Amino acid sequence: MSWNPFHPDIMEDPSSGHEYLLDQCPVHFFSSPEMRFYTLSRYDDVSSCLRDTTRFSSQYGQGPNFSEPAGMLCDPPQHTLYRKLIQPAFSPKAVEELRPKVISLTNELVDKILSGDSTFDLHDEIAFPLPVTIIAGMLGVPSSDLEKFKRWSDIQVEIMGSGDLDKYKEEQIEFQNYMLKHLRGRKLELAKEGREGKQDLLNLIASARNEQDEAIPESDALSMLNQLLVGGNETTTSLITNLFWRLLEKPSRWRTLLEDRSLVRSAVEESLRYDPPVLGLYRNSASDIEIHDETIPEGEKVYVYYAAANRDPRVFNKPNEFDISRKARRHMSFGLGTHFCVGAPTARLEAEVVLEVMLERMPDLRMLNSGERIKPFFLWGRKHLPCAW
Ligand code: HEM
């Protein structure tokens, strides 16, 4: 066992372990007193696994701990029903309609920075408030509750990566009660106003009915709200911090973008490939699975390691080089197949708008230091990114 995702060196730089996994250990087994799992890292293995929901099931959760199926955290057919239900809020038209709001919010945040000191934390001032405000808006939650939301979102992530499920019990209950109150409030509004009321994501969930035309269970609705909150929040924050970190650590990259704005889109994609905000997620082996002369026994957790797949030299030329002109759309950072990230276009929109606005309004932007990484071992982003304009 010569790879350990919790080792301080790997925590500091997850990519330092990729070569070993990709070359020598494509099916890796990790075990500690807290958790055990197999890791798949080659691009083709990750791709096959994500396309095969029969053998690699999502039924017992996408984190390292086993959980009960709920909402979209499960396999088809339940997954198909719920995914279809929220899809309208993520259609290309819906995402495009969000653009003016993302632009004006980003400009407001930049106004605030420019009216203050010449130094600021890019995480606190931009990368955190933008996604949380957007997802809260999509869920119809008042912006006065944003800080609470962030705290709850962080807790969901910590729970996913921790062996100690009781640690945040009280806050978890507080969050569930808050969401339940919100959900029930919307159901009442819908009963009064009909479906014509507010057309947001919360409406789609509050008015959801199953194939028998019955209201879906509240536990499934809550699970989806949970997943959207976490999925739409910390991940996009990390995309933005990671993107600026890499662009500013070599000022020549920033200058190249200042001269050629047509590279904005590929710079965002390269950031996603090189520094995936979700390094990997889990599947559950539904039978014994033979792969590369190894057997993953039934009932095990399988870590699908997008970050290593994104550096697989069989697919990406010079994978360890950060190249903003690379055509990198085949990366795995939003997953693949049935559970492919429904919010990918929203995340791309937010990152592209932030980059465009900052290039325009803060051409002399520079990074003071690279801050520190966020805590959970399977997520990758900066907790702080001190900058100056
Ligand atoms: C850079 C930002 C993001 C990253 C890196 C990311 C990553 C991912 C990944 C890897 C998956 C696949 C999960 C699996 O296979 O089990 C996923 C699914 C999902 N993401 Fe995202 N995500 C991001 C942004 C968003 C946003 C903005 C939203 C919502 C507004 C969102 C909502 C979801 C949901 C609901 C799913 C579950 C889809 C399903 O099971 O069918 N994500 N995301």
Side-chain angles (χ1 to χ4, degrees):
M1 189 181 66
S2 35
W3 177 73
N4 176 347
F6 301 96
H7 189 281
D9 294 346
I10 302 278
M11 286 293 289
E12 193 52 36
D13 175 13
S15 72
S16 61
H18 293 165
E19 210 168 289
Y20 167 73
L21 291 173
L22 289 165
D23 284 354
Q24 295 173 47
C25 196
V27 184
H28 182 273
F29 178 63
F30 172 81
S31 111
S32 74
E34 285 81 35
M35 54 182 84
R36 51 184 277 142
F37 53 82
Y38 288 79
T39 298
L40 297 180
S41 46
R42 287 189 187 164
Y43 190 92
D44 284 351
D45 296 335
V46 165
S47 165
S48 312
C49 161
L50 292 175
R51 290 176 195 281
D52 182 353
T53 57
T54 308
R55 293 192 306 162
F56 294 97
S57 164
S58 296
Q59 204 66 1
Y60 303 104
Q62 52 176 198
N65 300 304
F66 290 92
S67 56
E68 290 297 316
M72 284 187 296
L73 297 168
C74 58
D75 294 332
Q78 175 171 319
H79 171 268
T80 319
L81 172 82
Y82 288 140
R83 169 102 187 196
K84 246 195 225 155
L85 205 124
I86 60 159
Q87 197 71 50
F90 297 97
S91 68
K93 184 168 166 272
V95 175
E96 222 17 69
E97 281 171 5
L98 215 54
R99 183 180 292 273
K101 187 171 171 194
V102 175
I103 294 175
S104 68
L105 185 55
T106 307
N107 274 302
E108 273 169 38
L109 294 168
V110 171
D111 286 345
K112 214 166 127 197
I113 298 170
L114 291 177
S115 69
D117 211 276
S118 68
T119 60
F120 68 104
D121 188 331
L122 195 139
H123 172 278
D124 293 357
E125 308 282 328
I126 295 263
F128 156 60
L130 180 69
V132 78
T133 309
I134 295 296
I135 190 67
M138 290 174 82
L139 291 173
V141 165
S143 44
S144 50
D145 289 336
L146 288 191
E147 281 297 331
K148 255 194 233 169
F149 243 62
K150 169 65 180 159
R151 171 85 189 126
W152 282 326
S153 159
D154 287 350
I155 287 173
Q156 302 308 313
V157 172
E158 282 196 32
I159 289 172
M160 251 177 100
S162 150
D164 182 1
L165 299 182
D166 285 335
K167 196 168 159 197
Y168 298 108
K169 215 169 180 175
E170 270 176 33
E171 275 158 307
Q172 181 75 344
I173 292 172
E174 196 194 335
F175 171 56
Q176 296 296 346
N177 287 340
Y178 176 90
M179 290 315 270
L180 204 55
K181 193 168 137 214
H182 207 56
L183 183 71
R184 288 180 181 162
R186 184 57 70 85
K187 282 186 177 179
L188 277 177
E189 275 178 38
L190 278 168
K192 277 194 222 141
E193 300 169 19
R195 278 164 171 257
E196 307 318 315
K198 292 182 191 131
Q199 287 302 318
D200 54 21
L201 195 47
L202 184 62
N203 240 37
L204 294 173
I205 296 174
S207 62
R209 306 194 74 78
N210 66 16
E211 275 150 349
Q212 287 73 44
D213 201 28
E214 298 152 347
I216 64 166
E218 268 181 345
S219 53
D220 283 340
L222 278 180
S223 161
M224 282 196 282
L225 290 172
N226 238 339
Q227 201 185 359
L228 285 162
L229 170 66
V230 179
N233 193 4
E234 171 120 23
T235 49
T236 314
T237 296
S238 294
L239 165 58
I240 296 170
T241 55
N242 291 345
L243 171 67
F244 279 88
W245 173 32
R246 294 302 179 198
L247 292 177
L248 298 173
E249 83 179 346
K250 290 227 168 97
S252 60
R253 293 176 182 152
W254 184 251
R255 283 197 301 273
T256 305
L257 274 169
L258 279 171
E259 280 157 24
D260 184 357
R261 309 288 167 91
S262 72
L263 292 173
V264 162
R265 181 164 285 192
S266 55
V268 170
E269 289 313 303
E270 180 65 343
S271 166
L272 281 160
R273 181 193 73 86
Y274 196 82
D275 291 305
V278 183
L279 294 170
L281 284 176
Y282 289 78
R283 292 293 185 264
N284 308 276
S285 53
S287 57
D288 287 358
I289 299 166
E290 304 288 330
I291 179 165
H292 299 299
D293 299 326
E294 301 275 345
T295 303
I296 302 177
E298 180 179 348
E300 294 284 354
K301 279 279 171 187
V302 181
Y303 186 43
V304 189
Y305 197 16
Y306 315 127
N310 284 354
R311 303 283 187 108
D312 189 335
R314 298 162 193 84
V315 177
F316 298 100
N317 190 24
K318 299 190 182 152
N320 296 318
E321 280 181 19
F322 184 86
D323 172 4
I324 59 173
S325 59
R326 187 192 293 269
K327 302 279 171 277
R329 275 194 106 86
R330 289 176 70 205
H331 62 71
M332 288 288 178
S333 304
F334 290 120
L336 191 79
T338 309
H339 293 274
F340 180 80
C341 177
V342 75
T346 315
R348 285 181 164 126
L349 169 71
E350 290 178 34
E352 285 169 21
V353 166
V354 173
L355 186 48
E356 273 158 6
V357 170
M358 304 274 278
L359 282 164
E360 192 57 42
R361 300 192 59 192
M362 293 184 177
D364 296 326
L365 186 67
R366 59 184 206 283
M367 188 171 84
L368 299 177
N369 62 67
S370 57
E372 55 186 295
R373 67 156 289 164
I374 53 173
K375 263 200 264 159
F377 77 95
F378 62 99
L379 298 180
W380 180 237
R382 312 313 291 169
K383 201 167 152 193
H384 295 289
L385 197 65
C387 290
W389 51 271

